[in-house]
Amino acid sequence: MTKTWWKEAVIYQIYPRSFKDSNGDGIGDLGGIIEKLDYLADLGVDLLWLSPIYQSPNDDNGYDISDYQDIMTEFGNMAQFEEMLEGIHQRGMKLMMDLVVNHSSDEHHWFQESRKGPDNPYRDYYIWRKEKPERWPSFFGGEAWEYDALSGEYYLHLFSKKQPDLNWENPKVREEVYEMMRFWLDKGVDGFRMDVIPFISKRLHWPEVDWNDFPKIVEEVYANGPRLHEFLQEMKRKALAPYDVTTVGEAPGVPPALGNLYVGESRKELDMIFHFGHMFLDWGPGGRFDLADWDLKAFKGVFNEWYTALGEEGWVSIFLDNHDFPRLVSRWGNDGDYREESAKLLAILLLSLRGTPSIYQGSEIGMTNVALPSIDDYRDLETLNAWTEAKEKGEDLDQLFLAIHQQGRDNARTPIQWDDSAQAGFTTAKEPWIKVNPNYPAINAAAVLAKPDSIFYFYQKLLRLRKQYLTWVYGEYEMIDGNHPELYAYRRWDEDGEFYFYLNFSETELTELPGPPVEEMELIIGNYPDQEYAHLRAWEARVYRRV
Ligand code: ISL
Ligand code: CA
């Protein structure tokens, strides 16, 4: 296994709109990030990933970009960007930008030109068809092909209507993207997280698809297209190779068996991918708002399968939540009586599976899902589109509202709770762009910073342990008692050491711990103040080193 800085690094994802507002307009911004760099350095993370900060009409909060080489006016300007980058580097951290090049905004001048008609020089920057391919569903509801009256044809948008897909078959598009990447690389950024990168190569025979099996459509029609790997290799050669930077591809629709095509070391494509299996365990066939139960066995199975499939050849980035999913403690843990314990347990898991961990902002203070009282409080277009669609179809809105509370993307997008003052100290404005979670008086950064055994310091400690014990990074991984419905136990080992991880994903007291007698091992960290050797209490997690 080759050793590199990005395997040893820990990512911290910032969703700038909700991180910290520095100028009182209710919207997080670069000034806010600059204010909090010491906080992040103190936590001990290495690589900051910023969700998009480019010019955007914000149909999808910046994932619809109208100018790739300018900073979103609401977030600040290029001078502030440079100040921020310098501040990050001064503190020994690195910066990863979000690269959203499957699609642009419809307000990008390329699309404005492209719409004008078949003779426009930008026509082939996007994907136009006189006849509409049938039954292609978009991720955000409705069809993925939209009629454009000005041009008299249909264009493809896998996401919202305001996110037309770029035509990667056109070499000019590819050159534009590489040039834009070099613009940021020359400024000194340290890498890219690539939005839905498996989707950039399209299946040009435009197959008709079975509308009812969305995950299958994603995997077999939208992702892993015929020229994908050619494009990624070209991107590596033409844009990335001369720089010492790293890349993480967001990889929905990529099954484990295809993983090494993306991240296999010899392929020279991407360094890592975010794999998705666990993110869909609690989705029914109807998708995100079709609530289903998940079970620990399947959850463990996802990580096992990826570990086995990649072997010593490829690398992943591990995430348990991000800006598109519920908060990790609410989804995989218990955000009621055992919020602290289960948040710490999940921190152990996140930081000790094989792969580069990605911490989502707010996890380190134990932030939870939110149940905002009215649909009018919601901002995410996926949520709002689902609501409109359900209303039109006369579906059960109460049930949908429950599902929104449980699964909606805005769960992860409420402002970071900095302290217990008005608006959680996120903004001095009367109203932030989205409501603050009402639990902020109890759950906030000031509170965890004042409490020595808090979730924050637990993360800090784990981050140090990960640096101290590189076995947690490079060591082999083996699940123990994989069929256990409540216990997630595993072993990590190499020539420098051997570690046993015991995580109780339940309130049931577990009395039989598999593996060597724990009395004979050294306790490295645990989420209870003491250890009762033979028992793993509710949501208890302990890590041992064999001596
Ligand atoms: O959340 C999902 C579907 O509802 C995922 O299946 C999918 O990974 C996600 O929609 C893709 O996410 C990325 O691209 C989107 C953007 O809205 C997300 O915020 C971004 O992370 C379009 O750019
Ligand atoms: Ca602001």
Side-chain angles (χ1 to χ4, degrees):
M1 177 64 59
T2 324
K3 301 198 168 171
T4 63
W5 66 267
W6 46 265
K7 289 181 183 168
E8 293 171 28
V10 172
I11 300 170
Y12 183 96
Q13 182 193 355
I14 294 178
Y15 195 68
R17 204 172 189 77
S18 304
F19 190 64
K20 177 76 175 82
D21 175 21
S22 69
N23 64 351
D25 64 355
I27 298 171
D29 47 44
L30 300 190
I33 297 173
I34 295 171
E35 278 175 35
K36 295 297 178 186
L37 289 179
D38 284 333
Y39 168 86
L40 296 169
D42 185 36
L43 177 62
V45 295
D46 309 286
L47 179 57
L48 306 183
W49 152 32
L50 264 51
S51 277
I53 57 171
Y54 316 98
Q55 206 60 263
S56 162
N58 284 305
D59 184 51
D60 187 17
N61 289 356
Y63 283 90
D64 49 322
I65 297 167
S66 53
D67 184 344
Y68 288 95
Q69 284 168 225
D70 195 7
I71 302 296
M72 192 191 298
T73 314
E74 289 171 332
F75 286 178
N77 54 45
M78 200 56 87
Q80 267 177 314
F81 172 82
E82 271 149 20
E83 184 192 337
M84 176 187 72
L85 181 58
E86 207 187 304
I88 292 170
H89 286 162
Q90 272 166 3
R91 287 167 182 80
M93 297 185 288
K94 292 177 188 275
L95 175 66
M96 188 158 76
M97 300 287 276
D98 215 310
L99 185 79
V100 188
V101 291
N102 173 68
H103 46 268
S104 73
S105 163
D106 64 337
E107 296 182 33
H108 195 291
H109 82 91
W110 297 338
F111 192 75
Q112 292 300 314
E113 288 299 315
S114 188
R115 291 181 69 190
K116 289 181 181 164
D119 299 331
N120 190 281
Y122 290 91
R123 186 61 169 183
D124 290 339
Y125 273 48
Y126 296 87
I127 300 164
W128 296 97
R129 283 289 162 280
K130 288 197 188 66
E131 307 286 336
K132 177 166 66 90
E134 287 305 314
R135 301 168 62 83
W136 280 43
S138 118
F139 276 79
F140 295 150
E143 294 194 50
W145 291 90
E146 180 75 10
Y147 184 69
D148 178 58
L150 184 65
S151 83
E153 293 187 11
Y154 297 86
Y155 67 90
L156 175 66
H157 63 92
L158 294 183
F159 294 89
S160 97
K161 277 190 260 225
K162 288 183 65 62
Q163 293 167 300
D165 281 49
L166 284 161
N167 178 18
W168 276 71
E169 299 290 322
N170 181 350
K172 279 196 232 149
V173 167
R174 306 204 298 271
E175 290 304 326
E176 298 260 22
V177 169
Y178 306 150
E179 195 187 308
M180 174 272 280
M181 290 171 73
R182 289 189 294 262
F183 169 85
W184 291 105
L185 290 164
D186 287 337
K187 283 191 180 292
V189 309
D190 305 287
F192 295 102
R193 172 269 186 188
M194 301 185 183
D195 195 65
V196 291
I197 202 71
F199 300 179
I200 59 176
S201 162
K202 314 296 177 191
R203 290 192 166 71
L204 298 174
H205 57 295
W206 313 117
E208 194 173 300
V209 296
D210 174 8
W211 186 285
N212 294 316
D213 193 348
F214 193 62
K216 191 158 165 243
I217 297 171
V218 173
E219 186 173 322
E220 292 174 11
V221 184
Y222 296 171
N224 316 304
R227 294 184 70 192
L228 177 66
H229 296 289
E230 174 197 336
F231 296 159
L232 288 176
Q233 285 170 12
E234 183 183 80
M235 178 192 273
K236 176 83 172 194
R237 267 195 331 271
K238 293 196 170 174
L240 297 160
Y243 304 85
D244 180 21
V245 295
T246 192
T247 53
V248 190
E250 188 205 21
V254 178
L258 297 184
N260 270 336
L261 293 179
Y262 289 77
V263 295
E265 224 175 292
S266 59
R267 304 265 309 166
K268 307 227 175 323
E269 295 189 17
L270 300 175
D271 288 339
M272 324 174 232
I273 51 176
F274 288 123
H275 66 76
F276 269 72
H278 52 312
M279 287 294 137
F280 304 130
L281 291 177
D282 54 359
W283 293 22
R288 177 189 297 273
F289 299 119
D290 180 6
L291 300 181
D293 289 331
W294 67 280
D295 69 76
L296 186 67
K297 249 178 80 176
F299 182 81
K300 293 189 279 191
V302 170
F303 297 102
N304 223 52
E305 226 191 308
W306 275 92
Y307 175 78
T308 312
L310 298 188
E312 301 298 298
E313 176 57 22
W315 198 255
V316 292
S317 180
I318 304 285
F319 78 108
L320 298 176
D321 67 352
N322 66 24
H323 66 293
D324 291 331
F325 296 99
R327 288 273 173 193
L328 79 171
V329 70
S330 301
R331 193 179 193 187
W332 316 118
N334 174 325
D335 65 5
D337 290 348
Y338 295 100
R339 185 181 61 88
E340 291 228 13
E341 290 81 0
S342 62
K344 290 174 180 171
L345 172 146
L346 291 163
I348 293 180
L349 181 71
L350 181 62
L351 293 165
S352 67
L353 286 171
R354 197 202 257 179
T356 298
S358 183
I359 301 171
Y360 182 60
Q361 66 175 29
S363 302
E364 78 281 11
I365 62 179
M367 281 179 66
T368 67
N369 277 358
V370 70
L372 298 172
S374 153
I375 189 66
D376 299 329
D377 298 323
Y378 283 83
R379 300 287 175 266
D380 169 28
L381 88 164
E382 185 188 45
T383 297
L384 298 174
N385 287 354
W387 188 265
T388 312
E389 230 175 273
K391 220 165 142 180
E392 281 166 11
K393 289 186 185 153
E395 284 166 11
D396 182 349
L397 292 178
D398 291 338
Q399 174 56 31
L400 177 59
F401 206 44
L402 266 181
I404 289 170
H405 286 163
Q406 203 169 311
Q407 286 286 357
R409 303 199 297 180
D410 281 338
N411 278 309
R413 299 179 180 185
T414 61
I416 292 295
Q417 297 157 204
W418 291 105
D419 56 40
D420 63 3
S421 68
Q423 307 304 343
F426 164 72
T427 180
T428 54
K430 270 219 198 76
E431 285 287 332
W433 72 276
I434 186 170
K435 284 197 165 127
V436 169
N437 190 320
N439 65 19
Y440 75 88
I443 301 175
N444 62 65
V448 290
L449 288 170
K451 188 173 168 256
D453 66 345
S454 69
I455 300 170
F456 181 93
Y457 293 116
F458 199 79
Y459 267 92
Q460 196 184 52
K461 201 165 162 195
L462 284 166
L463 288 163
R464 288 190 190 136
L465 288 170
R466 212 172 174 276
K467 295 253 180 305
Q468 184 184 344
Y469 299 123
L470 288 179
T471 307
W472 293 23
V473 176
Y474 297 111
E476 290 187 59
Y477 165 92
E478 182 186 50
M479 190 160 61
I480 310 167
D481 202 357
N483 286 326
H484 199 296
E486 285 151 341
L487 177 70
Y488 194 163
Y490 49 99
R491 176 167 89 99
R492 301 284 319 265
W493 77 99
D494 61 12
E495 62 275 14
D496 296 326
E498 183 179 5
F499 295 83
Y500 283 84
F501 298 79
Y502 296 100
L503 317 180
N504 180 1
F505 272 75
S506 78
E507 285 172 45
T508 315
E509 193 156 313
L510 304 179
T511 48
E512 295 207 11
L513 298 187
V518 293
E519 290 84 346
E520 291 168 19
M521 299 195 283
E522 176 195 359
L523 180 68
I524 299 295
I525 190 168
N527 64 352
Y528 272 65
D530 57 347
Q531 60 177 328
E532 276 180 35
Y533 288 105
H535 299 261
L536 219 45
R537 289 155 285 188
W539 293 98
E540 183 165 4
R542 297 203 296 256
V543 183
Y544 289 98
R545 187 159 80 121
R546 202 164 184 179
V547 279

